[in-house]
Amino acid sequence: MADSVHSGHRGRMRRRFLETGLTGFQPHEVLEMLLYYGIPRRDTNEIAHRLLDRFGSLHAVLSADPEDLMQEPYISENAAVLLTLFRAVTQYDAGAQMVGKELDNYRKVCKFFIDIYMFEEREVIRAALLDEKLRVLRCEIVAEGHPSAAQMTVRQLTELAYRTNSNTMILAHNHPRGTAKVSNDDISATRHL
């Protein structure tokens, strides 16, 4: 990075971000800037382009498995953790932002779970636990993988509601790589519960 073309590039990018946020940034520039902190002594522009070419989008890069990211040259475990940390922080923050908010209609429930599942690449079943005024107390993963009645027991869900002092629970799961159509297994597990 010693040549004149790149001299001061990181500083200019940081100043640009501090002045405008991410307004006007291209996906490769966002990724390049993130990589500054995971790969401190290398030009990250080319690496960002390679990651976007391989995974297809910034969302896909941030949703990728760390092991897949580390298949790319110069992506160390630290860089892979940094990139995947954004997915986890976004999900954590989406849930934390909703604590205390009312989920008193279908639109709010849908928005809540869309935000929670935004970067999720695994099939995950979550329970939103609500108080008597339908305010979110917390949201927890109750099972992972394909939903089935065997994964979630009434006892497990009842104990979760009891521990959180919740009187209302909304269960949801995603279909990260498939259709959003309700499957027969979904219906069977729901009826069982």
Side-chain angles (χ1 to χ4, degrees):
M1 233 173 35
D3 64 322
S4 61
V5 175
H6 294 292
S7 181
H9 178 67
R10 288 183 180 208
R12 287 190 301 274
M13 291 286 280
R14 278 191 290 270
R15 282 191 299 282
R16 180 177 161 203
F17 170 73
L18 290 172
E19 290 171 8
T20 67
L22 292 176
T23 303
F25 275 71
Q26 296 297 311
H28 75 275
E29 293 172 314
V30 173
L31 190 52
E32 174 186 1
M33 197 164 169
L34 286 174
L35 290 170
Y36 291 168
Y37 303 97
I39 309 171
R41 292 182 176 82
R42 184 170 294 283
D43 180 1
T44 58
N45 183 282
E46 182 183 333
I47 299 166
H49 280 286
R50 276 202 323 265
L51 286 168
L52 289 169
D53 287 346
R54 176 173 176 200
F55 291 97
S57 69
L58 179 60
H59 180 88
V61 171
L62 297 177
S63 299
D65 184 87
E67 296 296 325
D68 290 338
L69 291 168
M70 289 187 290
Q71 297 302 310
E72 285 295 315
Y74 308 115
I75 299 294
S76 65
E77 183 178 31
N78 283 347
V81 167
L82 175 70
L83 292 175
T84 57
L85 179 63
F86 281 90
R87 170 183 62 209
V89 168
T90 299
Q91 290 168 331
Y92 181 86
D93 186 53
Q97 291 296 318
M98 289 302 291
V99 170
K101 305 250 172 108
E102 288 184 359
L103 292 186
D104 58 356
N105 65 52
Y106 182 72
R107 182 185 53 79
K108 289 179 184 178
V109 170
C110 289
K111 169 107 174 75
F112 174 79
F113 283 109
I114 286 169
D115 289 347
I116 293 285
Y117 283 114
M118 183 184 309
F119 287 106
E120 192 63 71
E121 291 296 312
R122 307 164 297 154
E123 192 157 348
V124 176
I125 303 163
R126 286 189 165 85
L129 300 142
L130 312 176
D131 68 11
E132 67 282 350
K133 293 184 179 178
L134 302 178
R135 293 178 300 212
V136 177
L137 298 169
R138 63 200 264 186
C139 186
E140 287 198 12
I141 293 175
V142 293
E144 295 185 42
H146 190 70
S148 72
Q151 288 179 299
M152 299 176 296
T153 66
V154 173
R155 179 182 177 142
Q156 172 194 15
L157 296 175
T158 304
E159 287 174 355
L160 179 60
Y162 181 75
R163 277 194 325 267
T164 59
N165 202 23
S166 169
N167 68 358
T168 302
M169 181 183 301
I170 302 172
L171 293 173
H173 83 277
N174 60 334
H175 293 219
R177 290 183 180 81
T179 176
K181 184 178 179 201
V182 178
S183 71
N184 289 335
D185 288 339
D186 295 340
I187 293 167
S188 174
T190 302
R191 284 190 177 142
H192 172 78
L193 291 171

